[in-house]
Amino acid sequence: MQWIDLRSDTVTRPTAKMRKAMAQADVGDDVYGEDPTINRLEARAAEIFRREAGLFFPTGSMANQVAIRLHTRPGEEILCESRAHVLDWEMGTAAVFSGCTLRTVEAPRGILTWDLIRASVFRDVPFHASTGLICVENTHNMAGGTVMPAATAHEICQGAHAAGLPMHLDGARIFNAAVALNVTVHELTASFDTVMFCLSKGLGAPVGSMLVGSADHMRLARNLRKAMGGGMRQAGILAAAGLIALEEMPARLPEDHANAQLLAEAIGPFAAAEIDLGGVQSNIVIFTLPHGGDASEFVSAIRQYGVLANAVGPRAVRLVTHLDVSREECQRAAGAVAEVLAGWGNK
Ligand SMILES: *Cc1c(COP(=O)(O)O)cnc(C)c1O
């Protein structure tokens, strides 16, 4: 069966052009700083985000965790939103690698504001772990791909910096946020101390994420990456695909966002499902099944139609659009979703 795979945008495969660039990439030993293709990718990422330097990582989780280690000391606390990737999907590494705990702040649609954050900041209180870092996610994956506007991000960074706190952005899908808001990634990220973004999701590279920031931070991050086992050798083969992802793939993201809208609208009319249509802002659709069948039953049912989806909670289902699902496939998936939900009751 030819699956319509909406589990995640991580399932995207490298394009023909990426494979060709990978085959022809100039490479060297990157632990010695001698891989010309990685050096080019790091320089381009820094240029696009207008930072002093960039660093190539095998995964976004490693880049996030290295950033956390850069900014914190053991015993400190990291503030993040209640459904943040750094908390829920990174194996508790902040505790292991940085000796930090995480304190969560719940935000409507996952979009933090300085007003929501400020009450949870502790400094020099003899009962509480001191806040060492604030970490923001844009787009917010588990809130359904919601987007944080530039003004909100700047306000949080301003408040944090005034309190002497560094800011890290988990911008795994920052290009999706930029497309949704029609601004540049630089405008969305300018006030953060470090920014992580993924080449391997909607941008289609097979492997890789970037961290960008100051030259000093990236020098330290290079050592911490090695400490995590992330020093790669002739990884220019991967960076070659990453360069195409970075230069060419953001331009097609609006297609994925339009396809997510199509799926969300198919879910809207059914009593069996609950969806916040205004919260569908990029390439992710999350809906819940408050009564009747649960998320895993839905995932099995939709599988019979050749559509793959992920249960992201006992009653929550996630659909993610991407490069490897066409408009036509999303229309078929929308039809399948409607048929399954119709069997579970109309509004
Ligand atoms: C995917 C993702 C990451 C990084 O994941 P890796 O699989 O480690 O590359 C980080 N943050 C968010 C919000 C993500 O969606």
Side-chain angles (χ1 to χ4, degrees):
M1 174 162 338
Q2 185 64 45
W3 297 103
I4 301 173
D5 194 345
L6 300 173
R7 287 172 302 168
S8 176
D9 46 10
T10 57
V11 302
T12 50
R13 284 149 301 178
T15 62
K17 189 170 178 183
M18 286 179 187
R19 286 174 185 269
K20 186 154 178 256
M22 292 170 80
Q24 295 171 348
D26 263 340
V27 296
D29 190 329
D30 183 54
V31 174
Y32 294 157
E34 290 173 3
D35 189 297
T37 310
I38 291 185
N39 291 342
R40 207 144 52 83
L41 173 61
E42 290 176 346
R44 269 304 280 154
E47 196 168 57
I48 289 166
F49 285 76
R50 299 196 216 166
R51 299 303 171 119
E52 286 173 1
L55 194 62
F56 182 59
F57 280 81
T59 68
S61 297
M62 191 190 286
N64 273 340
Q65 293 302 326
V66 161
I68 285 172
R69 174 78 174 261
L70 268 183
H71 295 301
T72 58
R73 289 186 308 182
E76 286 184 333
E77 202 160 71
I78 301 150
L79 278 178
C80 64
E81 207 280 327
S82 60
R83 293 158 284 178
H85 196 280
V86 289
L87 171 66
D88 282 343
W89 302 90
E90 297 186 11
M91 311 293 298
T93 304
V96 178
F97 192 57
S98 299
C100 289
T101 53
L102 292 108
R103 180 177 296 277
T104 59
V105 178
E106 213 174 309
R109 289 184 177 164
I111 301 305
L112 289 166
T113 61
W114 178 244
D115 266 348
L116 289 169
I117 292 170
R118 68 201 311 170
S120 298
V121 172
F122 299 119
R123 303 298 296 239
D124 302 322
V125 182
F127 306 103
H128 298 305
S130 281
T131 310
L133 173 68
I134 299 171
C135 184
V136 164
E137 191 170 310
N138 196 13
T139 64
H140 193 309
N141 184 348
M142 283 299 140
T146 50
V147 165
M148 176 181 284
T152 310
H154 293 317
E155 199 192 1
I156 295 172
C157 290
Q158 230 167 30
H161 289 151
L165 286 171
M167 290 293 311
H168 173 66
L169 177 64
D170 176 348
R173 295 184 182 80
I174 196 64
F175 284 94
N176 293 88
V179 159
L181 293 162
N182 198 23
V183 297
T184 64
V185 288
H186 168 256
E187 284 171 77
L188 278 183
T189 62
S191 349
F192 290 89
D193 296 279
T194 48
V195 180
M196 184 285 281
F197 67 93
C198 294
L199 300 163
S200 61
K201 293 183 172 162
L203 303 186
V207 174
S209 291
M210 304 297 302
L211 189 68
V212 295
S214 71
D216 281 346
H217 274 148
M218 293 308 109
R219 243 192 317 276
L220 267 169
R222 180 175 281 276
N223 296 344
L224 293 169
R225 183 186 67 178
K226 190 74 170 69
M228 276 211 152
M232 297 187 287
R233 305 294 180 173
Q234 287 74 30
I237 284 180
L238 303 175
L243 272 162
I244 294 171
L246 182 61
E247 304 285 6
E248 299 182 15
M249 302 307 272
R252 57 156 306 286
L253 293 176
E255 284 176 45
D256 299 343
H257 294 194
N259 288 339
Q261 286 300 322
L262 177 109
L263 290 166
E265 282 158 21
I267 295 158
F270 294 99
E274 225 160 64
I275 183 165
D276 170 18
L277 286 173
V280 180
Q281 299 172 352
S282 59
N283 69 324
I284 300 177
V285 179
I286 291 181
F287 62 96
T288 57
L289 299 159
H291 357 267
D294 66 11
S296 62
E297 280 177 67
F298 180 88
V299 168
S300 309
I302 201 83
R303 203 183 156 88
Q304 304 306 312
Y305 293 81
V307 179
L308 301 180
N310 260 345
V312 292
R315 296 198 163 269
V317 177
R318 190 184 69 168
L319 306 171
V320 185
T321 58
H322 54 78
L323 164 69
D324 283 347
V325 283
S326 65
R327 180 81 182 169
E328 194 268 324
E329 287 172 314
C330 288
Q331 277 160 346
R332 272 196 283 146
V337 166
E339 270 191 47
V340 171
L341 291 177
W344 291 359
N346 279 299
K347 250 172 208 166

